[in-house]
Amino acid sequence: MSGTSPRPAATGYELLRNPRLNKGSAFTEAERRAHGLEGLLPPVPITLELQVARIHAELASLDDDLQKYLLLSDLQSRNETLFYAVLMSDPAAFMPIVYTPTVGEASQKFNHFFRSTRGVYLPITAQGRLKDLLANWPDKDVRFIVVTDGERVLGLGDLGVGGMGIPIGKLALYTTCAGVPPQFCLPVILDVGTNNPALLDDPLYLGLRQNRVRGEAYAAFVDEFVEAVHALHPTCCIQWEDFANFNAVPILARYRDKVCTFNDDIQGTAAVALAGIYGALRISGQRLADQRFLFLGAGSAATGIAQLISQAMALEGVAFEAAQSHNALFDINGLLVRSRADLADFQKPFALDHAPVSAFVEAVRALRPTGVIGVSTVPKLFNQPVIEAMAEINERPIIFPYSNPTSRSECTAEEAYRWSDGRAIFAAGSPFPPVEIAGKTFVPGQGNNVYIFPAIGMAVFATEASRVTDELFIVAAKAVAEQVTDQSLATGLIYPPQSRILPASLHVAARVAERIFDKGLAGVDRPADIPAFIRSRAYRPAYAKTSLPNLSPAATLNG
Ligand code: NAI
């Protein structure tokens, strides 16, 4: 062998191992020559479009969604541009694979299918050093963190460190659905242990093998995390995800006025329900201020939605307390009335000055709501008498059975349309297929948070917002409803189609950004054309011309 001249570090094999720079078989001949890639790839370059088609074909050959999830996850670790080009080629088809429901199964099996790592794992045993651990992440400009402690993952409960699948999947949606650039996003898990005995007994479990830390020690750990993020990345927004309710609520209350932060389970969920209501009002031609809602269920979902609706009503001039009384709650013990002694503090603002009512249909007759919203987790409670009573009181009754999954829905789309003679304005928490009644086709909408959180994320990222206020969620909800075409409304569909999620989210993000500027919350100067500004900040999956490679430390992302 003749004398070996050392190659520049940023070439060849290393380039192929860097998911942000790798183009795989799409490296051109010139790039291959320039960067020491010749011989390391099959010789004939292909385009990004052909690579996307190849992945589509490979996915089509798999009949198991978890296998598809794993294929896409490997792709994300190998070639980020191609990963997003695939997802963005058909977001409606890929959302259920990279996020719910498939991400749930992937998170459950996380320890058994663990392959390449992604994001930052912060165990409570590293308390005092969280800033050092966070600083090990190779990207130095982090603008968006999704963080969980894995305690209440979707409907699956405590998955411990396996909950990391959720921030990873959710961030993929921020990029796919609203164009938040992936290089600014970081998934994080706070590992405080798990109370799931099956995980604690599993020799393959990868998280801390201890019960969950609670109380002050937990709060101090979360405090240190927030401080570390703020110290390293002062413009970073923190989105809390899938925490148990008793931690989620105080965490949001503690930080919402101190840093840029929000909780999608609480605020995004309420906003998507409000978006459905704004969409419904476009059909009925009525004003929000004139609505009266009756919730079946008085838990965290019901009170969160009722609170945001009340705030939105107040913005239309209704006194806030009166607005709260337009949102009545009914739980397992009947209508929430002031004489009840069993109400929690968060329920009391919605208790009515009314005689007790123990049957839901009686409450419907007594309060004459314009809409019923089901968040009870109990199927079939919007039965024929309830729907018929709503249809008797209202020309266009709003019927929203939001309990998930489908098996828990308070009624089906078909029941709502049939029992109301096709007059119900319907949306559900789970997807329902179109329904045909008397020759007319109705298209049920699904109140999916994906209409809200990616757009909020994009607006916050682009404007470098200092806070995420509830008002921004109301703006987002209105902007979602604006996106529904008259054609969709004619079929009863009150949410935009998921296939058009990117343009819809960019519209919502622009509206939210406008309010961020109006309220003086932005960290950048107000541009003349906000929609154009948002579009210019949005990520598009395309290969950059690889000039002289400039490998960032992200080269070592995957182990
Ligand atoms: P939760 O457990 O906090 O509240 C459930 C409430 O339903 C309680 O107030 C309980 O008293 C009441 N309830 C139970 N059985 C009842 C009965 N037979 N009659 C009347 N009330 C009854 O639950 P959470 O977190 O509020 O969630 C509720 C449901 O809403 C879940 O299925 C969740 O998946 C769904 N949800 C859907 C969303 C969406 O579609 N975007 C958003 C948020 C929640």
Side-chain angles (χ1 to χ4, degrees):
M1 265 203 327
S2 59
T4 50
S5 58
R7 271 187 202 289
T11 59
Y13 211 63
E14 208 173 332
L15 195 53
L16 296 174
R17 291 290 174 274
N18 182 321
R20 194 147 296 147
L21 301 177
N22 184 23
K23 304 179 185 179
S25 52
F27 276 114
T28 64
E29 283 178 10
E31 286 168 338
R32 294 172 188 215
R33 269 196 304 279
H35 304 297
L37 293 169
E38 287 174 299
L40 300 183
L41 289 159
V44 180
I46 62 169
T47 61
L48 177 60
E49 291 69 29
L50 271 176
Q51 287 180 307
V52 170
R54 188 183 63 211
I55 302 291
H56 274 274
E58 204 181 335
L59 285 165
S61 73
L62 302 172
D63 44 26
D64 175 51
D65 281 349
L66 183 61
Q67 294 303 322
K68 293 182 187 182
Y69 173 94
L70 293 172
L71 187 154
L72 288 169
S73 169
D74 287 345
L75 179 60
Q76 187 176 17
S77 303
R78 211 166 61 231
N79 181 336
E80 189 174 81
T81 310
L82 180 54
F83 171 75
Y84 281 111
V86 169
L87 260 52
M88 292 167 97
S89 70
D90 193 352
F94 289 112
M95 266 189 260
I97 295 173
V98 295
Y99 205 60
T100 78
T102 313
V103 73
E105 190 185 354
S107 300
Q108 284 175 308
K109 296 181 176 164
F110 176 84
N111 305 287
H112 290 244
F113 286 125
F114 184 74
R115 27 192 82 195
S116 62
T117 182
R118 172 169 295 279
V120 172
Y121 296 77
L122 297 176
I124 198 161
T125 46
Q127 204 158 3
R129 298 189 299 119
L130 298 190
K131 196 169 150 200
D132 296 344
L133 269 65
L134 274 168
N136 285 340
W137 179 248
D139 293 321
K140 298 305 168 203
D141 186 8
V142 175
R143 304 288 191 83
F144 216 89
I145 284 177
V146 176
V147 59
T148 187
D149 70 358
E151 180 154 18
R152 201 234 60 193
V153 176
L154 310 170
L156 305 168
D158 185 346
L159 298 189
V161 82
M164 186 55 141
I166 298 298
I168 292 172
K170 197 124 189 175
L171 282 168
L173 298 194
Y174 275 95
T175 301
T176 304
C177 302
V180 180
Q183 63 269 32
F184 297 114
C185 298
L186 171 59
V188 173
I189 186 151
L190 303 177
D191 184 357
V192 297
T194 176
N195 292 352
N196 183 334
L199 294 177
L200 290 170
D201 286 345
D202 183 349
L204 286 180
Y205 182 59
L206 294 164
L208 293 181
R209 218 167 275 275
Q210 62 179 52
N211 279 321
R212 284 186 176 273
V213 173
R214 302 279 189 211
E216 279 177 25
Y218 178 89
F221 180 57
V222 176
D223 253 354
E224 185 188 334
F225 163 67
V226 174
E227 277 163 26
V229 170
H230 198 61
L232 287 170
H233 309 293
T235 55
C236 184
C237 179
I238 301 173
Q239 192 235 283
W240 311 94
E241 181 74 21
D242 283 1
F243 284 73
N245 207 35
F246 52 80
N247 283 324
V249 173
I251 285 175
L252 181 63
R254 181 163 171 76
Y255 301 110
R256 63 184 304 156
D257 296 325
K258 291 189 183 143
V259 296
C260 182
T261 194
F262 69 99
N263 181 314
D264 182 58
D265 302 314
I266 298 172
Q267 295 161 291
T269 286
V272 83
L274 182 61
I277 290 166
Y278 283 128
L281 297 179
R282 284 188 56 200
I283 294 180
S284 68
Q286 295 176 354
R287 290 183 337 135
L288 181 67
D290 297 330
Q291 303 304 301
R292 290 179 311 281
F293 296 103
L294 176 59
F295 288 76
L296 184 71
S300 49
T303 49
I305 299 168
Q307 185 71 9
L308 195 70
I309 296 175
S310 304
Q311 284 172 289
M313 285 176 164
L315 288 177
E316 290 192 5
V318 184
F320 188 65
E321 279 187 14
Q324 284 180 316
S325 73
H326 287 215
N327 288 278
L329 311 183
F330 187 103
D331 73 359
I332 190 140
N333 296 320
L335 187 65
L336 269 66
V337 293
R338 293 210 182 132
S339 56
R340 272 178 58 174
D342 62 333
L343 300 184
D345 282 347
F346 71 93
Q347 296 171 318
K348 283 180 185 160
F350 299 98
L352 296 179
D353 199 3
H354 196 283
V357 182
S358 57
F360 189 67
V361 70
E362 288 311 320
V364 169
R365 292 204 183 101
L367 300 176
R368 301 179 65 79
T370 52
V372 285
I373 300 177
V375 271
S376 65
T377 72
V378 185
K380 300 289 164 205
L381 293 181
F382 289 172
N383 53 21
Q384 191 165 355
V386 167
I387 306 281
E388 284 178 354
M390 284 297 292
E392 217 177 282
I393 297 163
N394 300 284
E395 182 52 36
R396 301 302 307 264
I398 295 173
I399 311 284
F400 286 179
Y402 271 4
S403 285
N404 285 319
T406 315
S407 58
R408 304 246 177 124
S409 191
E410 282 82 1
C411 66
T412 65
E414 210 260 333
E415 289 166 343
Y417 291 125
R418 187 154 40 86
W419 293 333
S420 67
D421 297 325
R423 287 187 284 122
I425 305 177
F426 177 91
S430 303
F432 279 98
V435 174
E436 203 177 302
I437 290 180
K440 184 166 183 215
T441 302
F442 297 89
V443 183
Q446 185 200 359
N448 188 325
N449 294 21
V450 82
Y451 292 116
I452 302 287
F453 69 80
I456 293 270
M458 185 63 202
V460 165
F461 159 73
T463 60
E464 297 182 16
S466 56
R467 295 287 181 277
V468 185
T469 61
D470 279 345
E471 190 187 352
L472 299 184
F473 287 91
I474 296 173
V475 172
K478 268 191 192 151
V480 170
E482 284 166 7
Q483 295 289 291
V484 187
T485 61
D486 290 341
Q487 208 180 5
S488 290
L489 291 176
T491 66
L493 181 60
I494 53 174
Y495 290 105
Q498 289 185 8
S499 55
R500 298 209 10 97
I501 190 80
L502 180 63
S505 297
L506 292 177
H507 169 86
V508 176
R511 283 273 195 269
V512 173
E514 200 174 349
R515 190 60 59 98
I516 291 171
F517 285 117
D518 288 349
K519 292 286 173 183
L521 296 172
V524 300
D525 289 338
R526 185 184 187 115
D529 183 341
I530 293 175
F533 164 70
I534 291 290
R535 283 195 301 276
S536 74
R537 304 291 280 133
Y539 171 81
R540 303 259 188 262
Y543 290 128
K545 292 254 177 297
T546 309
S547 54
L548 271 180
N550 174 23
L551 279 191
S552 74
T556 54
L557 257 182
N558 296 289

